[in-house]
Amino acid sequence: MGGSCAQRCGAGRLQVLFPLLLPLFYRALCEPIRYSIPEELAKGSVVGNLAKDLELSVLDVSARKLRVSAEKLLFSVDAESGDLLVKDRIDREQICKERRRCELQLEAVVENPLNIFHIIVNVEDINDHAPQFDKKEIHLEIIESASAGTRISLDPAIDPDINVNSIKDYQINPNPYFSLMVRVNSDGGKYPELSLEKPLDREEQKSHRLILTALDGGDPPRSATVRVEIFVRDTNDNPPVFSKDEYRVSISENLSPGSSIMQVTATDQDEGDNAEINYYFRSTDQRTRHMFSLDEKTGKIKNNQSLDFEDMERYTMEVEAKDGGGLSTQCKVIIEILDENDNSPEIIITSLSDEILEHSPPGTVVALFKTRDRDYGGNGEVICNIGRDVPFKIYSSSNNYYKLVTDGALDREKTPEYNVTITATDRGRPPLSSSTTITLHITDVNDNAPVFQQTAYLVHVPENNPPGASIAQVCASDPDLGPNGLISYSIMASDLEPGALSSYVSVNPQSGVVFAQRAFDHEHLRAFQLTLQARDQGSPALSTNVSLRVLVTDRNDNAPRVLYPALGPDGSALFDTVPRAAQPGYLVTKVVAVDADSGHNAWLSYHVLQASEPGLFSLGLRTGEVRTARALGDRDGARQRLLVAVRDGGQPPLSATVTLLLVFADNLQEALPDLSELSTPSDPQAELQFYLVVALALISVLFLLAVILAVTLHLRRSTSPSTWGCFQPGSCSKSGPVVPPTYSEGTLPYSYNLCVAQAGKTEFNFLQCSEPLHSTQDIVCGDSPGALISLQGEKDLTSHPETLTRQAPPNTDWRFSQAQRPGTSGSQNGDETGTWPNNQFDTEMLQAMILASASEAADGSSTLGGGAGTMGLSARYGPQFTLQHVPDYRQNVYIPGSNATLTNAAGKRDGKAPAGGNGNKKKSGKKEKK
C-alpha cells in the first residue's frame, strides 16, 4: 500500500506546475482519511473530528469554509466543532447492495487556499435484516422407494446482511424420517437439505409436514420459518443430472432485450413421466428473475430488460431440473456483463468563485471541478479541455480533480463575463464527450479615469446674460461600475481672480452644467478660461481635467459717444470758421466718435439730420468729415448749423447726435458778433409758449409795418424820397421763415434776420423749429448773407466797420495740410463708401485724432486762443501730450473682411499727432438749443 502511494505521488509531482502548492495537496493525494461506522446511525451522529484529522483549528472550519461533497449528501461538517456528522440514513444494503466491502468516497473542500482532502468512510454491517423465505410454504414430493440417506434440497432463505449477520444455520423440527443438513457453496452460501433417515411408506403416511427455521449470526440472532410439506410418490429412482454443475457466460451490456443468452441441459435415465424434465429458477432474487427468463421446457435463458454494466456487473442464479417423478437437481448459472463505452463523462463543479477581480494575477484559481465516467478501464479515462478564446486554462489536480485558473489579464470593461465551456472526453472506442458551461463574472475595480467627450471646450456667451443661466455643459464618461463610474464635476482653476471665481461661474457636480452667476459685460470681460475636473468615487479616486474657454460676445448695448466736437466747460457749443472763398471739397471739420462695443456694433456711420442750408456741406458716411459741397453763394447765410447723427451697425442701431456751428468768415474779427442771447430754454412747454408769443408779436409787427409801409408809400408820392431813405426796400428786407408753424421738442437750425439801422444797432432775430429739415427745405433771412459771428450784447459794431463792409481774403494758413487734415490719414481723404483704413499709418492717425479730441473734450480748455487751424484741437497735439490716461478704442474698431483689430502700437510709437491747419473755432455765447 505504501509503495503504490509513493508511485502516485511521484506521478503527481510531474503534473503539478506549481511546486510550492504540492505540500497543500500531499494529504489529498496520498493519505486519505478513513473512518469506520456501523450502518443505520442516527442523524447527527459524529463520525469523527474531521477538523482535527485535517490539522485545522476550530476557527479555520468557518474561516476556510470546510465542507464535504459526495454523490449523495449523507454527511455534513459541524461549522463550530469541525465534526463529521451523519446527515441522512445510511443503509448499507441499499448503498452497496451485494458488495462485501462498503466504502463511501468523500471529498473535504477548504478555501483560502483552495484544497481537497479524500475521505473514505467504511460502512459496517449490522444485523438489521432477518432472514426471509421466498415462499410461505414449500411443497416437495419424494418417492417412497427412496433409500435412507436420500437428500432433498430446500429453498434457502435470503438475508441482505453479510458476514456474521448473514444466515448461519438452518433448523428443522424433530421427526423420525428426516434430518436437516446444511450445504455450503463455493461462494460461502448455505443451503438446507433434507436427508431421509429411514424408508418411507406412502400407505402409512402420504405426506409429512415440517417447520424449517433459518437463523442468522447476529447478536441476538434473527430467524425466519417456512412450512415444508412432503408428498410421498411412487418410485422414481433416477434424478435429473445437469451437464455442468456451474454455467458461466459473458455478454455485452448493449445486448438487446429478448436475446438468447445461454441454455442449461439436464438428463434423466428414467422413462416416461419420470424422465420429463422441467427447469425452474431457485435461490434467485426477484431482481434477477425480473431481468432474465427461463424456458421451463428447453432451459434457455433470455434477458427481459436492457443490461447495464454500471448497475450490475454479474448475475448469479440457481437453476433446478426436476423430472416427472419428483426428483430434481440444481446447477449454478453465472452471467457476467461486459462493459461498453455507453456512458459519457460527467463534469461536477465542486467550487466556483462568485467574484473574480479584473486585476487578478495569472494563476488565480476560479473554479474546482471533477469528472466521473461510469464505464470501466479505458472507457472511463477522461481528458478535459476548454476553448482557446478565453483567458483561462485547466490544471489537473488529483484523482480526476481539476482546477480552472486565470491565464491572462482580465478587463471587465472589455468583457464583463466569460462563458467557459469545459469539455470532458473519454478514451473509449468511439470516444464519448460531454460539456458544461459556467459563467464567470468579472468584478470591477477602479482602473479607468473619467474621459471627457472633448479635449477642450469653447463656448460663446452673449453679454448681458441673465444671472443663473446655463452657459455650457461638460460631460465625461467612466466605463467602471458603481461608485467607480459615478462622476462628480468641480472647478479646479481659472484665470479669474481666486476670490471672484465663485461670483462669476459655478458648476453642477452631478450634471456638469456650468452656470453664470452674474451678467457678463463684454466691455469689461472679453474671455476667461476654466479648468474643470471630473472625478469618480472609486478608492482611490481617479480624475481628469479639461479646459473650458468662455468667450463673452458683444451686444449692441453702448451708443456711440462723440469725442469731437465737444461742448465747452460751460456747456456751450463750439463753432468753426470757414473761409468765404472755400472751394467745393474743402475740409471744414470732422466729427470724431467712438463706440465701446466691438465688431459691427462699433462700425459707425455719420448722417446729417438737419442743415440750415441743405446742399452746402457734405458729410463722409464713414469718415465723419464735413466738406463744402459747393462754393458759398450770395444768398447763403454766413452762419450755418448742422445736426449730425452718429449710428452704429448694431441691430437695432444706437445713435448719438451732435450740432455743428459753422461761420463763414475770413478772419476771427468777422466772427465776433455776440451770441450770448442764444439760450436754451429748459422747459419745452415754456419754450413753445414763448414761440407762440413771439409769433403773435411778429404778426402784429408785420401788420404794423405793412400799415406804416402803405402810409409811407402814400406819403412818398407827395414828398421827397430822401427823407425815408432808411425804409427803402434795398436797405432792409425780411422774409418770413419757411418752417412749419407747429413746434415741438427738438432741434432746428437757426434762421437769422440782420438789419443795420442808422444808429448802428444790430437787430438779430432767430427762430427755432422742432421739425427736422429735409434736403428740399431752406431757411432764408434777408437778401444777402450776414456774417456768422457772435455779438456781445449791446456792443456797438461801429468800432469794427470792416466787419460789415470788408471781406478779408481767405487765410490759407487755416487749411489742413495733407499730414494734418482730420481723417484716416493725411495722405488720403475718407472713403465715402464706408471702407475702413487699409494701412497702419491711417489707423495711427485716426487713433491720434480720437485720443486728442477725447482729451480736449475732457478738460474743456478749448478757447479762441487755440490758434488758427486747430479746429478746436488745442496744443495737446504737441510732444508734451501723453496718451496713457486716455482710453484706447482701437480694440473696438472692426475691419470688414478681416479678423484683425487696430492695435495700440501706433499710439505708443507716435508721441504726437500733426498740428496746424487754418481753421478757427469759437464757442457760442450760450448752449445750443436742442
Side-chain angles (χ1 to χ4, degrees):
M1 184 68 181
S4 61
C5 180
Q7 292 176 0
R8 289 197 305 273
C9 290
R13 291 190 185 95
L14 296 179
Q15 297 179 358
V16 175
L17 299 181
F18 298 95
L20 295 178
L21 299 179
L22 183 59
L24 300 177
F25 295 94
Y26 181 78
R27 179 181 293 277
L29 293 173
C30 301
E31 297 180 7
I33 300 174
R34 294 182 175 272
Y35 295 101
S36 180
I37 61 172
E39 65 173 333
E40 301 293 343
L41 276 179
K43 294 182 181 179
S45 300
V46 178
V47 179
N49 194 322
L50 181 61
K52 180 179 179 181
D53 296 336
L54 295 178
E55 299 179 358
L56 299 176
S57 64
V58 177
L59 297 178
D60 290 338
V61 174
S62 59
R64 298 187 61 183
K65 299 180 180 180
L66 175 63
R67 62 186 185 276
V68 294
S69 63
E71 297 180 13
K72 296 181 179 180
L73 299 178
L74 301 177
F75 301 92
S76 63
V77 177
D78 190 344
E80 295 181 358
S81 62
D83 292 334
L84 182 64
L85 305 178
V86 175
K87 187 178 180 182
D88 200 356
R89 177 174 177 265
I90 300 177
D91 187 356
R92 189 203 66 81
E93 288 75 18
Q94 182 179 0
I95 296 174
C96 298
K97 298 181 175 61
E98 297 179 358
R99 286 181 292 179
R100 292 292 177 181
R101 298 183 61 183
C102 184
E103 294 181 347
L104 300 181
Q105 303 287 337
L106 306 179
E107 290 83 27
V109 180
V110 293
E111 297 181 0
N112 300 321
L114 188 63
N115 206 343
I116 295 177
F117 302 89
H118 297 282
I119 303 171
I120 297 177
V121 179
N122 183 26
V123 180
E124 298 178 352
D125 182 58
I126 64 174
N127 192 22
D128 57 340
H129 294 86
Q132 291 182 353
F133 289 96
D134 290 341
K135 301 177 182 179
K136 295 182 179 181
E137 293 183 358
I138 299 177
H139 298 279
L140 299 177
E141 291 182 359
I142 187 171
I143 191 169
E144 62 177 346
S145 62
S147 62
T150 302
R151 294 185 177 184
I152 303 174
S153 297
L154 300 177
D155 292 336
I158 299 174
D159 193 342
D161 297 327
I162 61 173
N163 298 331
V164 296
N165 296 322
S166 63
I167 296 176
K168 182 180 180 181
D169 195 9
Y170 291 92
Q171 296 177 358
I172 195 173
N173 58 318
N175 64 88
Y177 292 98
F178 298 94
S179 65
L180 184 65
M181 302 185 65
V182 179
R183 180 170 59 89
V184 181
N185 264 352
S186 62
D187 57 354
K190 296 180 179 180
Y191 299 90
E193 290 184 348
L194 290 177
S195 176
L196 185 62
E197 295 294 329
K198 64 179 183 179
L200 298 175
D201 187 0
R202 188 185 67 82
E203 288 73 17
E204 182 180 355
Q205 188 175 352
K206 295 183 179 179
S207 64
H208 302 270
R209 296 184 181 271
L210 304 175
I211 302 298
L212 178 64
T213 303
L215 300 173
D216 60 20
D219 186 17
R222 293 190 173 189
S223 62
T225 59
V226 64
R227 291 184 299 175
V228 180
E229 187 174 3
I230 303 174
F231 299 95
V232 180
R233 293 181 57 191
D234 288 339
T235 301
N236 182 21
D237 54 356
N238 290 297
V241 178
F242 282 100
S243 60
K244 296 180 181 179
D245 292 336
E246 183 177 286
Y247 290 86
R248 287 181 175 268
V249 65
S250 298
I251 59 175
S252 172
E253 64 175 332
N254 292 336
L255 189 67
S256 59
S259 300
S260 177
I261 298 175
M262 63 176 298
Q263 184 176 9
V264 294
T265 304
T267 59
D268 195 327
Q269 296 180 0
D270 295 327
E271 295 181 352
D273 294 337
N274 295 329
E276 292 184 2
I277 301 174
N278 292 326
Y279 301 93
Y280 306 96
F281 279 127
R282 292 188 60 188
S283 304
T284 304
D285 58 20
Q286 294 296 328
R287 182 177 180 182
T288 302
R289 293 188 180 189
H290 289 305
M291 182 65 67
F292 300 96
S293 61
L294 174 64
D295 192 314
E296 295 181 359
K297 299 298 182 182
T298 61
K300 289 184 178 180
I301 300 175
K302 297 181 180 180
N303 63 322
N304 298 327
Q305 301 176 5
S306 298
L307 303 175
D308 190 354
F309 171 83
E310 291 72 31
D311 189 17
M312 185 69 71
E313 300 179 6
R314 184 177 64 177
Y315 293 92
T316 301
M317 59 194 76
E318 292 284 338
V319 178
E320 178 185 37
K322 182 182 292 187
D323 58 18
L327 298 179
S328 64
T329 186
Q330 297 84 26
C331 73
K332 187 175 184 179
V333 177
I334 300 176
I335 301 175
E336 295 181 348
I337 309 301
L338 300 179
D339 181 54
E340 298 290 341
N341 191 24
D342 58 345
N343 291 278
S344 298
E346 299 179 41
I347 301 175
I348 303 172
I349 305 297
T350 60
S351 180
L352 182 64
S353 298
D354 296 333
E355 296 182 353
I356 305 172
L357 297 178
E358 59 178 324
H359 67 316
S360 299
T364 302
V365 179
V366 298
L368 188 67
F369 64 95
K370 69 177 182 179
T371 60
R372 183 181 64 183
D373 195 323
R374 298 177 63 187
D375 293 325
Y376 180 75
N379 297 331
E381 296 181 3
V382 179
I383 301 174
C384 290
N385 58 74
I386 60 175
R388 298 182 179 180
D389 55 346
V390 292
F392 301 96
K393 60 182 179 181
I394 293 178
Y395 282 116
S396 177
S397 176
S398 64
N399 195 17
N400 292 332
Y401 271 86
Y402 299 87
K403 290 181 179 180
L404 181 64
V405 300
T406 58
D407 189 31
L410 304 177
D411 190 353
R412 189 207 63 81
E413 287 71 38
K414 292 183 179 179
T415 308
E417 65 180 21
Y418 291 91
N419 293 322
V420 180
T421 301
I422 303 174
T423 302
T425 306
D426 60 25
R427 297 181 181 273
R429 298 287 182 176
L432 299 179
S433 64
S434 63
S435 62
T436 183
T437 301
I438 59 175
T439 301
L440 302 177
H441 300 277
I442 309 302
T443 304
D444 181 61
V445 296
N446 192 24
D447 57 346
N448 291 278
V451 178
F452 284 95
Q453 292 181 351
Q454 302 180 20
T455 57
Y457 290 85
L458 177 65
V459 296
H460 297 265
V461 180
E463 64 174 334
N464 303 328
N465 57 287
S470 170
I471 61 175
Q473 182 177 14
V474 296
C475 185
S477 59
D478 194 324
D480 294 326
L481 288 180
N484 297 333
L486 187 61
I487 300 175
S488 61
Y489 302 90
S490 61
I491 300 177
M492 300 300 297
S494 71
D495 55 2
L496 299 172
E497 296 182 4
L501 174 61
S502 60
S503 64
Y504 277 88
V505 291
S506 65
V507 63
N508 188 299
Q510 286 76 31
S511 63
V513 177
V514 181
F515 297 94
Q517 298 298 104
R518 61 164 57 176
F520 299 141
D521 189 356
H522 173 79
E523 288 70 40
H524 293 83
L525 182 63
R526 298 289 180 95
F528 60 91
Q529 186 162 332
L530 304 175
T531 299
L532 300 176
Q533 184 182 80
R535 185 183 184 90
D536 59 28
Q537 316 225 349
S539 179
L542 302 178
S543 61
T544 303
N545 294 343
V546 71
S547 63
L548 170 64
R549 183 166 181 81
V550 180
L551 301 180
V552 181
T553 58
D554 183 55
R555 283 184 174 177
N556 193 27
D557 58 344
N558 291 279
R561 184 165 65 91
V562 178
L563 300 181
Y564 182 84
L567 299 178
D570 56 353
S572 60
L574 303 179
F575 68 93
D576 292 292
T577 60
V578 184
R580 294 180 180 275
Q583 297 299 318
Y586 176 80
L587 179 60
V588 176
T589 185
K590 182 173 182 178
V591 178
V592 180
V594 294
D595 195 317
D597 295 324
S598 300
H600 281 282
N601 296 330
W603 195 9
L604 303 180
S605 61
Y606 301 85
H607 308 273
V608 176
L609 294 182
Q610 295 176 356
S612 57
E613 192 67 39
L616 182 57
F617 299 98
S618 63
L619 178 63
L621 178 63
R622 299 298 177 186
T623 63
E625 295 179 350
V626 179
R627 297 178 181 271
T628 56
R630 58 180 175 82
L632 182 66
D634 295 337
R635 299 179 62 86
D636 295 330
R639 298 175 60 85
Q640 299 292 329
R641 178 177 177 274
L642 295 178
L643 182 60
V644 177
V646 183
R647 297 192 185 99
D648 57 25
Q651 292 296 331
L654 301 178
S655 63
T657 59
V658 63
T659 302
L660 301 180
L661 299 180
L662 306 178
V663 178
F664 282 91
D666 292 331
N667 52 46
L668 188 59
Q669 288 73 16
E670 296 184 14
L672 292 180
D674 188 10
L675 302 177
S676 60
E677 297 179 359
L678 301 177
S679 60
T680 303
S682 59
D683 188 2
Q685 187 66 26
E687 182 181 358
L688 180 58
Q689 294 177 358
F690 171 75
Y691 288 152
L692 292 177
V693 173
V694 171
L696 182 59
L698 288 178
I699 293 174
S700 301
V701 170
L702 290 177
F703 176 74
L704 293 176
L705 289 178
V707 173
I708 294 172
L709 182 59
V711 174
T712 301
L713 292 178
H714 179 71
L715 294 176
R716 183 180 181 184
R717 295 191 184 122
S718 59
T719 61
S720 175
S722 60
T723 307
W724 310 98
C726 182
F727 297 99
Q728 293 180 0
S731 301
C732 182
S733 63
K734 297 181 181 180
S735 61
V738 190
V739 294
T742 302
Y743 304 98
S744 63
E745 181 181 0
T747 304
L748 278 177
Y750 294 101
S751 175
Y752 305 96
N753 291 326
L754 180 61
C755 180
V756 181
Q758 292 180 353
K761 302 291 183 179
T762 301
E763 180 182 358
F764 193 74
N765 297 329
F766 58 91
L767 295 175
Q768 188 174 27
C769 180
S770 61
E771 292 293 329
L773 293 179
H774 302 283
S775 60
T776 58
Q777 293 179 340
D778 295 329
I779 299 177
V780 180
C781 180
D783 297 332
S784 62
L788 291 168
I789 56 178
S790 176
L791 302 181
Q792 303 295 329
E794 301 294 331
K795 184 177 180 181
D796 195 350
L797 297 180
T798 56
S799 61
H800 304 283
E802 68 278 3
T803 303
L804 300 176
T805 60
R806 179 173 56 88
Q807 179 177 351
N811 186 359
T812 59
D813 295 337
W814 187 87
R815 298 183 179 274
F816 287 98
S817 66
Q818 290 298 323
Q820 297 171 341
R821 181 168 299 180
T824 57
S825 69
S827 60
Q828 68 180 25
N829 296 331
D831 188 0
E832 296 297 332
T833 62
T835 306
W836 284 80
N838 54 6
N839 58 73
Q840 184 177 4
F841 181 72
D842 292 346
T843 303
E844 295 170 357
M845 291 300 295
L846 175 59
Q847 180 66 17
M849 288 292 294
I850 293 174
L851 296 178
S853 301
S855 177
E856 182 178 2
D859 59 18
S861 61
S862 176
T863 61
L864 292 174
T870 65
M871 295 179 61
L873 305 178
S874 68
R876 285 189 294 267
Y877 280 96
Q880 69 275 14
F881 176 63
T882 61
L883 304 178
Q884 59 181 353
H885 301 295
V886 181
D888 186 1
Y889 291 95
R890 284 179 295 178
Q891 59 184 352
N892 300 327
V893 177
Y894 170 75
I895 302 176
S898 171
N899 294 326
T901 57
L902 300 181
T903 64
N904 200 18
K908 295 180 180 179
R909 183 187 61 196
D910 298 336
K912 62 181 181 178
N918 52 3
N920 294 327
K921 173 171 295 210
K922 288 291 292 180
K923 295 183 289 184
S924 63
K926 294 184 180 180
K927 293 182 180 179
E928 180 188 1
K929 293 184 178 180
K930 295 184 181 179

